[in-house]
Amino acid sequence: MADILRERERQVYRKGDLQPFQLDCEKQSAAGSVSQRACVFCGSRVVLYPIADALHIVHGPIGCASYTWDIRGALSSGPELHRLSFSTDLQEMDVVQGGEKKLYAGLCELIDAHQPKAAFVYATCIVGVIGDDVEAVCKRVSLEKGIPVLPVHSEGFKGTKKDGYRAACDALLKLVGTGSPEGITPHSINILGDFNLAGETWMIRDYYKRMGVEVVSCITGDGRVDEIRRAHGAALNVVQCSGSMTHLAKQLEEKYGTPFIRVSYFGVEDMSKSLYDVARHFKDKEMMKRTQAMVREELERLMPQLADYKRALTGKRAAIYVGGAFKAFSLVAALRHLGMTTVMVGSQTGNKDDYEQLRELCDEGTIIADDSNPLELSSFLEEKDVDVFIGGVKERPIAYKLGIGFCDHNHERKEALAGFEGMLNFAREVYSSVMSPVWRLTPRRRGSNLEVVK
Amino acid sequence: MLLRHTTDEVLERTSLTINPAKTCQPVGAMYAALGLHNCLPHSHGSQGCCSYHRSALTKHYKEPVMAATSSFTEGASVFGGQANLLQAITTIFTLYNPDVIAVHTTCLSETIGDDLVQIIAKAVAEGKVPEGKHVIHASTPSYQGSHVTGFSNMAKALVTYFADPEAAKSKQITLMPGWVEPSDMRELKNLAARLGVEVTLYPDTSDVLDTPHTGKHEFYPKGGATVEQIKASGGSLAAIGMGPSASQAALEALQSKCGVPGTLLELPIGLQATDRFIDTLRTLAGVEVPQSITDERGRLLDVISDMHQYLHGKRVAIFGDPDQLVSLVEFLNLLDMKPVYIVTGTPTPQFETRIQTALGGNVPEAKIKAGLQADMYLLHQWIKQESVDLLIGNTYGKYIARDEDIPFIRHGFPILDRVGHSYFPSVGYAGAMRLLEKILGAFMDRQDRDAPEERFELTM
């Protein structure tokens, strides 16, 4: 059963294999595979969802709205409009006659009732097939109601989650530049690609504040329409989660000449480097000094606390399977910081460069996989005798069934994992799961390196 | 206030669902298909559908949920999904080796007009379906009905594909449990066994979505009704379908295809509905009800009588799936409570009549709504106008419960933030006892929380 489908042979690689490294990726999943991937709509929805004062209306049958109702712990410090679920709930007659009228009426009703700052209209699979002119409806409502009404072309079948990110970025691009950049200081940035899961954007924002950097907008964590409208006034775009937001950053560079840098807020090294990179960009000695002092202060507080976890976790083995590969780089480094080895790493949507970089980062023998599935994942976990698996909602129960610890590094994270504090939370989560006494009772670990319960 | 955007006034809405009290058909079909042994559910549509359904079921059950997808692309949406499904069938039998692939459609494949019967026939003709293996399908367009409809359609497909009119006549009784939890299915089988009645129950997700820890990830867990059992159900003495929305179609199919006489009951949730279930089984099989079941019923009645003064006149808002609601409302009514707001997103013929019957004329002020715009936004607006003492429904009720400070009991699908539903039944007398315990617990916790110091009671 654990065979790798022949077509997938080239999507799995073991570091140290003799053949030259060439991992197939960015290809359609084979029809019939139990893929862990999602769709275009999913990509758009997760990226735009945290904009809290916008209306998010899903144009399609009810399911797409139901499954994404408050799906992500993206916190808001103000409005909570984004946590409601709005759907045109298309019925059979709408499919026959078209859903434009319903969409128009729904948008008008909602905008009147909630006075949002903007509206995003997500086109789902069926809308693409029945041929509703979503663009025209949005334009009309926008004119009538005087707010931006933005179509998001996220028909599920039109690619992968990555294409959904792109559709989301395209919608955002229409917002940026419509507000006044007046009063924005030279040392200013946009935070791109942090979604304020468990309040992470707030922590990152605070670091920048302490450095003396003005944050113009967060796209999209704790996002606000008016902030995004003036995002073109920022001097620098700082991009995390490059899979979702590089497209936007590139477009902003092209259109407004705003440079961008890629960062990661996960793990001590990457977090520090990110802040230094931003400080370096502004060529301000005082800012660099403040940054150094802040990093020192944070590390001095963090390191002694991490030491205990590191002692316990040294030598443990981890497996990683995440949506975007960029996150995996930081995770490999963060785990290494805790004395752990990554023995398997994969992603749903990585590209060639991502996997090349992963190969460089990882130790000999590490399995690298693109677009994996539960069968493969279970066999990798067993083969590599993994102690903790880092993934998302569909991976969690697989780890537990095998008697392996788990850490959710996706939508369902409960603690902030970004930043210096986040590193401590991450260490604590990994520790609490790896060292849980429950594994002593499970068949896999009975009689191995943990104490056996008689 | 998470739902600060909910207005007190009920504004007329023509074209929107806000905070749905339903989801779409395919997830129900996937759940039903998981109740078949060695079956891999297959979603004929875009990758996202399958991913969402697996995630939804995984969050509810904390179990791995396996299902494959046709992974539609732009090409499939133009030229049809036949090539994808044929490829998928080959891939699945090669790689995952199930006994059955249970295909359900999606809004996309329905709209582009894929003919599943023809595609499956082609797969068989081309030898893509190995000897002794099966590909079945249910049509589950997301723009009709709800997740309950999808369950019903797949349950019916099990009958139309497998039930054998030539099966040997037996004394066995077929139970169609409707969309209930694995714990409920287990309990129904237990009750039948205690009555000494031989039954086949399908779909049966017990030992599929409540599996014990073995240290292995079983791609196909040991539970689920087998194809052989469903074939043999064609020779059943009788069949009982529980809940019209989820089971009537399958029950009628079994009757018309195999001549098995069917009895349609409401879900055996609560005392009276369980009485009817036990009595029907007893009559059909010609058995005596054992003392242990009579005693169990007696204990339930005893607790109700012990605690009835805590229940009188309590106003309840309840939302969820129609079959569940009808039986729960009947039970609440028996408990002398007042279910005043009853909402299901599932369009349901006769829903109001069934609820009124369950209420027995005791709650003339009850507001009942099913189908379009019967959503949690409306329910919340009703509650804002006149509040209730208890809210019962799936996890999405927690927003309303928090904002309006109402005691809340989780029941239904999905439950994303508590465990227990997979393990403790709500059907049968034992299930009714558990529901009652939860209701009393909710009221008493609230009383303890709110009581002024001098009125804080030790004995309740």
Side-chain angles (χ1 to χ4, degrees):
Chain A
M1 286 263 291
D3 295 340
I4 290 164
L5 184 62
R6 187 164 305 134
E7 285 182 33
R8 283 195 36 75
E9 270 173 9
R10 289 165 59 83
Q11 280 172 281
V12 177
Y13 172 82
R14 283 153 204 271
K15 182 162 176 183
D17 280 3
L18 286 176
Q19 80 266 29
F21 179 67
Q22 203 177 26
L23 197 70
D24 274 4
C25 51
E26 296 191 279
K27 57 188 263 183
Q28 277 291 323
S29 308
S33 59
V34 182
S35 169
Q36 306 294 77
R37 278 181 178 170
C39 64
V40 181
F41 166 72
C42 178
S44 295
R45 187 81 169 103
V46 294
V47 164
L48 295 175
Y49 161 81
I51 303 173
D53 56 355
L55 190 70
H56 300 267
I57 178 164
V58 180
H59 187 37
I62 197 67
C64 301
S66 284
Y67 303 118
T68 54
W69 178 4
D70 208 10
I71 194 176
R72 211 173 187 190
L75 310 189
S76 164
S77 54
E80 303 270 9
L81 196 57
H82 67 307
R83 300 185 70 175
L84 270 61
S85 173
F86 301 111
S87 168
T88 48
D89 194 358
L90 291 183
Q91 300 296 303
E92 193 164 20
M93 281 316 285
D94 305 319
V95 174
V96 177
Q97 299 175 346
E100 290 175 19
K101 271 190 195 152
K102 212 171 179 181
L103 176 62
Y104 172 77
L107 273 168
C108 292
E109 283 173 22
L110 283 176
I111 292 169
D112 290 345
H114 299 295
Q115 304 292 322
K117 297 277 187 185
F120 292 98
V121 178
Y122 302 82
T124 60
C125 284
I126 202 163
V127 173
V129 176
I130 63 177
D132 276 1
D133 191 346
V134 176
E135 195 101 34
V137 175
C138 289
K139 200 172 273 177
R140 182 175 162 202
V141 177
S142 183
L143 278 173
E144 289 176 13
K145 300 292 173 189
I147 60 164
V149 180
L150 304 158
V152 186
H153 297 288
S154 52
E155 291 89 344
F157 58 86
K158 285 190 173 164
T160 65
K161 207 166 165 181
K162 267 188 178 174
D163 299 286
Y165 297 152
R166 203 181 166 90
C169 289
D170 288 338
L172 287 167
L173 258 176
K174 291 184 189 159
L175 261 190
V176 178
T178 58
S180 162
E182 214 181 286
I184 294 175
T185 55
H187 292 168
S188 57
I189 61 168
N190 296 310
I191 298 177
L192 267 58
D194 194 277
F195 302 101
N196 206 28
L197 303 185
E200 289 174 345
T201 308
W202 296 332
M203 289 164 40
I204 304 301
R205 231 188 148 121
D206 182 59
Y207 296 145
Y208 286 125
K209 196 175 153 197
R210 284 156 69 189
M211 286 164 63
V213 173
E214 179 188 355
V215 176
V216 178
S217 73
C218 299
I219 303 178
T220 57
D222 198 12
R224 295 294 179 275
V225 171
D226 286 343
E227 288 178 10
I228 297 170
R229 295 178 78 148
R230 63 202 290 265
H232 59 300
L236 176 68
N237 286 319
V238 183
V239 188
Q240 208 208 199
C241 188
S242 61
S244 69
M245 282 289 161
T246 304
H247 177 60
L248 180 65
K250 281 184 176 163
Q251 293 292 312
L252 292 176
E253 184 169 44
E254 204 171 288
K255 206 165 166 188
Y256 303 103
T258 320
F260 71 91
I261 57 170
R262 290 185 203 201
V263 299
S264 167
Y265 303 128
F266 294 115
V268 172
E269 286 88 354
D270 286 359
M271 181 68 239
S272 314
K273 181 175 179 303
S274 300
L275 299 176
Y276 287 139
D277 284 353
V278 171
R280 211 168 287 128
H281 174 85
F282 288 116
K283 301 188 175 67
D284 177 330
K285 277 193 187 140
E286 287 308 308
M287 182 189 287
M288 185 52 100
K289 273 187 197 158
R290 283 195 296 273
T291 308
Q292 284 164 339
M294 179 178 75
V295 170
R296 201 176 311 119
E297 189 188 321
E298 291 288 339
L299 290 181
E300 273 168 8
R301 188 164 45 204
L302 175 67
M303 289 319 224
Q305 293 174 283
L306 274 185
D308 287 344
Y309 293 121
K310 184 170 179 175
R311 234 184 326 275
L313 292 171
T314 293
K316 302 283 184 202
R317 289 167 301 277
I320 299 168
Y321 189 73
V322 286
F326 203 73
K327 190 193 281 173
F329 307 151
S330 295
L331 284 170
V332 172
L335 289 162
R336 195 170 280 158
H337 197 94
L338 294 172
M340 300 175 70
T341 318
T342 300
V343 291
M344 183 255 144
V345 57
S347 83
Q348 293 172 23
T349 57
N351 64 28
K352 278 210 157 49
D353 294 346
D354 293 337
Y355 289 119
E356 177 55 38
Q357 200 172 334
L358 271 179
R359 191 186 67 93
E360 282 168 20
L361 269 175
C362 290
D363 299 323
E364 288 292 303
T366 302
I367 297 171
I368 302 175
D370 176 63
D371 186 20
S372 195
N373 59 63
L375 266 188
E376 273 178 21
L377 291 172
S378 323
S379 73
F380 296 154
L381 296 178
E382 285 190 299
E383 177 196 324
K384 292 291 184 182
D385 197 15
V386 165
D387 297 290
V388 69
F389 187 20
I390 297 171
V393 55
K394 293 193 292 293
E395 284 79 50
R396 181 195 294 267
I398 296 173
Y400 289 164
K401 283 291 179 216
L402 294 170
I404 291 170
F406 186 82
C407 169
D408 194 310
H409 213 285
N410 203 355
H411 303 180
E412 292 192 1
R413 75 184 66 160
K414 303 301 173 210
E415 301 281 346
L417 301 177
F420 299 104
E421 280 170 72
M423 181 65 196
L424 189 61
N425 291 335
F426 177 65
R428 191 185 299 121
E429 269 202 31
V430 170
Y431 173 88
S432 67
S433 194
V434 169
M435 307 304 281
S436 169
V438 69
W439 309 132
R440 293 180 206 168
L441 302 169
T442 62
R444 203 176 76 94
R445 281 283 179 248
R446 219 176 272 156
S448 72
N449 60 349
L450 285 168
E451 186 191 332
V452 182
V453 176
K454 304 260 159 38
Chain B
M1 300 290 270
L2 276 164
L3 300 180
R4 72 192 72 154
H5 304 285
T6 306
T7 55
D8 295 8
E9 195 189 342
V10 179
L11 299 168
E12 199 53 42
R13 276 183 285 148
T14 55
S15 47
L16 272 171
T17 294
I18 308 178
N19 300 346
K22 64 170 174 181
T23 180
C24 65
Q25 283 210 45
V27 74
M30 188 181 283
Y31 179 60
L34 288 166
L36 183 61
H37 183 64
N38 267 353
C39 171
L40 188 66
H42 180 85
S43 167
H44 187 50
S46 300
Q47 232 166 12
C49 305
C50 187
S51 177
Y52 281 136
H53 304 144
R54 288 176 60 210
S55 290
L57 291 167
T58 289
K59 289 178 189 174
H60 180 83
Y61 289 110
K62 319 285 180 215
E63 292 281 317
V65 171
M66 296 303 129
T69 162
S70 290
S71 299
F72 267 36
T73 57
E74 192 115 42
S77 78
V78 178
F79 304 114
Q82 172 168 300
N84 292 55
L85 187 52
L86 291 175
Q87 168 65 43
I89 289 169
T90 305
T91 303
I92 291 169
F93 282 124
T94 311
L95 195 59
Y96 304 112
N97 194 31
D99 289 347
V100 183
I101 301 173
V103 184
H104 59 261
T105 58
T106 56
C107 47
L108 181 55
S109 53
E110 285 287 336
T111 308
I112 61 179
D114 278 354
D115 181 349
L116 272 283
V117 175
Q118 175 261 323
I119 300 174
I120 292 170
K122 189 172 163 69
V124 174
E126 290 176 0
K128 293 185 189 312
V129 183
E131 188 67 32
K133 306 274 183 179
H134 311 272
V135 180
I136 68 171
H137 92 284
S139 171
T140 54
S142 321
Y143 46 74
Q144 280 174 357
S146 76
H147 55 294
V148 183
T149 324
F151 181 94
S152 168
N153 287 340
M154 185 53 83
K156 182 184 170 188
L158 297 182
V159 174
T160 50
Y161 271 94
F162 296 129
D164 180 3
E166 309 295 321
K169 297 291 171 218
S170 70
K171 286 167 76 178
Q172 176 256 96
I173 289 174
T174 294
L175 299 182
M176 294 168 172
W179 188 326
V180 291
E181 300 293 352
S183 51
D184 295 320
M185 300 187 186
R186 197 182 288 285
E187 178 67 6
L188 292 172
K189 290 189 289 184
N190 278 339
L191 280 171
R194 287 163 67 194
L195 277 161
V197 182
E198 195 191 319
V199 296
T200 289
L201 180 140
Y202 64 87
D204 182 2
T205 58
S206 62
D207 281 323
V208 177
L209 291 168
D210 59 351
T211 61
H213 187 101
T214 59
K216 288 205 166 61
H217 167 216
E218 303 286 355
F219 201 82
Y220 303 110
K222 66 178 176 183
T226 62
V227 171
E228 287 311 313
Q229 284 174 320
I230 300 177
K231 278 186 180 165
S233 75
S236 294
L237 176 68
I240 302 176
M242 284 162 261
S245 304
S247 298
Q248 187 167 4
L251 188 73
E252 286 175 356
L254 189 63
Q255 182 150 1
S256 64
K257 186 179 180 193
C258 305
V260 177
T263 305
L264 184 64
L265 297 177
E266 294 291 358
L267 280 179
I269 293 176
L271 188 136
Q272 296 133 301
T274 303
D275 282 352
R276 292 193 295 270
F277 171 68
I278 298 286
D279 201 48
T280 307
L281 259 188
R282 178 189 67 81
T283 318
L284 290 171
V287 292
E288 296 274 317
V289 176
Q291 192 60 39
S292 76
I293 290 183
T294 309
D295 287 351
E296 198 167 69
R297 183 184 189 278
R299 285 193 293 274
L300 170 63
L301 199 52
D302 196 60
V303 179
I304 299 174
S305 64
D306 287 345
M307 308 310 286
H308 69 274
Q309 70 274 37
Y310 288 95
L311 302 168
H312 168 73
K314 296 287 190 193
R315 289 164 53 82
V316 187
I318 181 165
F319 65 94
D321 299 343
D323 297 342
Q324 301 269 349
L325 292 181
V326 170
S327 297
L328 283 167
V329 162
E330 184 187 42
F331 187 44
L332 294 171
N333 185 44
L334 174 86
L335 296 175
D336 200 21
M337 297 164 74
K338 285 189 181 303
V340 285
Y341 306 136
I342 302 132
V343 165
T344 178
T346 299
T348 313
Q350 303 294 316
F351 183 64
E352 184 150 2
T353 317
R354 285 163 68 199
I355 292 286
Q356 291 295 4
T357 308
L359 287 172
N362 287 331
V363 192
E365 71 270 35
K367 291 185 178 183
I368 304 158
K369 192 165 166 83
L372 288 179
Q373 276 104 51
D375 50 30
M376 299 187 53
Y377 191 76
L378 175 74
L379 181 69
H380 192 186
Q381 288 175 318
W382 286 349
I383 291 172
K384 274 178 177 288
Q385 290 178 353
E386 191 178 354
S387 194
V388 292
D389 302 302
L390 181 66
L391 177 67
I392 303 178
N394 67 35
T395 287
Y396 289 108
K398 75 193 284 184
Y399 302 113
I400 298 176
R402 181 185 161 104
D403 277 11
E404 305 301 329
D405 197 21
I406 302 168
F408 175 43
I409 293 174
R410 284 158 183 80
H411 183 92
F413 176 84
I415 294 173
L416 310 168
D417 60 342
R418 294 292 188 275
V419 291
H421 46 278
S422 326
Y423 307 108
F424 304 105
S426 54
V427 300
Y429 301 119
M433 185 85 96
R434 177 166 185 259
L435 284 169
L436 179 58
E437 186 207 358
K438 287 213 278 186
I439 292 169
L440 286 165
F443 286 146
M444 290 171 173
D445 283 348
R446 181 55 55 119
Q447 189 176 325
D448 281 345
R449 192 198 78 176
D450 292 348
E453 231 170 68
E454 65 279 13
R455 304 209 44 176
F456 186 65
E457 285 186 77
L458 177 68
T459 309
M460 293 168 95

